[in-house]
Amino acid sequence: MGSRKNYQRSQPSKGESPLHILPVADKMIDFTLTITDNATRFPKKIRFSVTNKIQGHALAIYDNLVEANEIFPIMDDQDKADRLKLQRAALTECKKLLHMIQLSKNRGYIDGGTFDHWTKLTVDVKCMTARWYDAERKTGIPVEPAGPIPEG
């Protein structure tokens, strides 16, 4: 049983292949879980206050992207509005994760190299999501759902 490929936009940038956001997000999640599951980096005493939040943000990014991708084809205004809302939610989660990565560096849980790599992975997902969001906003279907037709 095959599955539909993740969303692809035919706008290659800087000689890259078309947008493939889900595998990039998957790499970011894998790295996030690898780092945060390491008790020498993220002590057990911060498991509930910090580590679970970090992991939650990373997983929420992927969830929102998959849900947005599953609204296909876009049949009406509500589909477009729902898809854009999920894309915005993914962007917000990226910002939250980036803040938690910075906090982790400031608190000494990660070193500069880990910070740089983790930030790059997250920014890649954020930028790809932003490009997808911008491309979707520019398509012909209106963003806001249509209201009832006024009588008279």
Side-chain angles (χ1 to χ4, degrees):
M1 179 175 162
S3 64
R4 185 169 47 85
K5 283 188 171 184
N6 62 305
Y7 180 80
Q8 296 180 21
R9 181 59 74 176
S10 60
Q11 295 177 337
S13 63
K14 299 179 188 173
E16 296 174 352
S17 62
L19 178 64
H20 297 281
I21 194 167
L22 294 179
V24 177
D26 195 45
K27 283 183 190 176
M28 182 267 304
I29 290 169
D30 186 54
F31 187 79
T32 299
L33 295 177
T34 299
I35 294 298
T36 56
D37 282 343
N38 184 339
T40 58
R41 291 182 184 258
F42 287 86
K44 290 185 180 188
K45 68 181 181 181
I46 63 159
R47 166 69 51 194
F48 295 108
S49 60
V50 176
T51 309
N52 287 351
K53 277 190 165 212
I54 291 170
Q55 291 176 346
H57 292 313
L59 295 170
I61 291 165
Y62 193 84
D63 288 347
N64 286 318
L65 293 173
V66 168
E67 287 181 40
N69 188 53
E70 289 303 310
I71 301 174
F72 183 82
I74 297 175
M75 302 298 284
D76 57 22
D77 297 345
Q78 186 62 50
D79 283 350
K80 182 167 183 172
D82 291 346
R83 189 159 160 148
L84 290 172
K85 183 177 180 180
L86 289 163
Q87 291 165 339
R88 282 192 310 267
L91 287 169
T92 301
E93 291 295 335
C94 286
K95 289 178 185 178
K96 290 177 182 179
L97 179 57
L98 287 168
H99 170 73
M100 296 303 287
I101 294 169
Q102 181 67 55
L103 178 70
S104 298
K105 181 177 182 267
N106 294 348
R107 301 288 302 196
Y109 302 136
I110 58 174
D111 59 25
T114 303
F115 171 80
D116 291 342
H117 183 66
W118 198 1
T119 299
K120 182 192 178 318
L121 290 172
T122 306
V123 168
D124 286 349
V125 172
K126 182 181 172 200
C127 290
M128 292 173 84
T129 303
R131 285 194 307 263
W132 182 23
Y133 176 76
D134 288 341
E136 291 286 322
R137 282 187 324 142
K138 294 175 184 173
T139 60
I141 299 174
V143 175
E144 295 302 318
I149 298 172
E151 293 182 27

